[in-house]
Amino acid sequence: MANKLTINIDVDVLDPAELTADEMKAMQLAQEAANDAYAPYSNFLVGAALLLEDGSLFKGSNQENAAYPSGLCAERTALFSKSAYYPHTKIKLIAVTARRRSEQQHLPAMPCGACRQVMAEYEFKQKEPIPVLLQAADGKYHRLKSVSDLLPFQFTPDHL
């Protein structure tokens, strides 16, 4: 008989009033970033924001391209840009939101697999968890304690 491994992930489901001031600032910046998305093909606007250890905020939005594989998601746009400008500053929080161009209401947002792997790389690099705040349904938010909660079987440099 095969052994089984069970993975439990704790997700806090929060009302806006339950967010910390820093979480609210990061989510508001992610929402602003979504407005700046270049998404003429999908009309699906995604914004991400990073809260850095020094208190500064960094944002990114999805950037589409007619040659689809050439585009880039909001999370990776924010992470790569942050790394170019602040390579040694740790990330304290990643916030992600999305909306359709035709609507003002923000939708549940989940990072794609590639973004999860890149987020995991930054968590591995800084050797401490990066909490993740995701837009959820009905005006609520999901808070995860670590990127590893999004990608429990991640590939790390230790696997090389």
Side-chain angles (χ1 to χ4, degrees), residues 4-153:
K4 292 194 185 250
L5 172 65
T6 301
I7 298 172
N8 294 310
I9 299 170
D10 290 326
V11 178
D12 294 328
V13 179
L14 307 166
D15 288 317
E18 296 175 285
L19 297 180
T20 68
D22 283 340
E23 288 172 331
M24 183 56 76
K25 279 192 254 180
M27 185 54 73
Q28 287 172 342
L29 187 62
Q31 291 171 347
E32 289 174 24
N35 293 332
D36 297 331
Y38 179 69
Y41 309 105
S42 70
N43 290 307
F44 190 69
L45 313 176
V46 183
L50 311 175
L51 172 64
L52 306 184
E53 67 182 343
D54 64 3
S56 61
L57 292 160
F58 225 83
K59 69 178 180 174
S61 59
N62 57 319
Q63 302 296 307
E64 294 181 351
N65 192 287
Y68 290 149
S70 300
L72 196 60
C73 299
E75 300 90 332
R76 286 181 282 158
T77 301
L79 287 163
F80 295 158
S81 183
K82 171 265 176 213
S83 190
Y85 287 98
Y86 302 101
H88 306 294
T89 306
K90 289 184 178 181
I91 301 164
K92 301 309 278 183
L93 175 72
I94 298 173
V96 183
T97 189
R99 71 176 182 82
R100 291 180 190 94
R101 183 179 311 283
S102 61
E103 301 172 7
Q104 289 303 311
Q105 178 182 356
H106 289 269
L107 306 166
M110 277 290 176
C112 73
C115 287
R116 291 175 193 217
Q117 182 61 47
V118 170
M119 291 162 66
E121 182 78 14
Y122 281 86
E123 187 170 82
F124 182 87
K125 178 182 172 186
Q126 71 180 36
K127 296 179 176 49
E128 66 184 61
I130 300 173
V132 181
L133 184 65
L134 303 170
Q135 186 80 49
D138 300 323
K140 296 192 182 292
Y141 301 93
H142 290 163
R143 181 196 299 138
L144 296 93
K145 293 178 185 172
S146 171
V147 171
S148 64
D149 290 336
L150 287 172
L151 190 63
F153 288 106

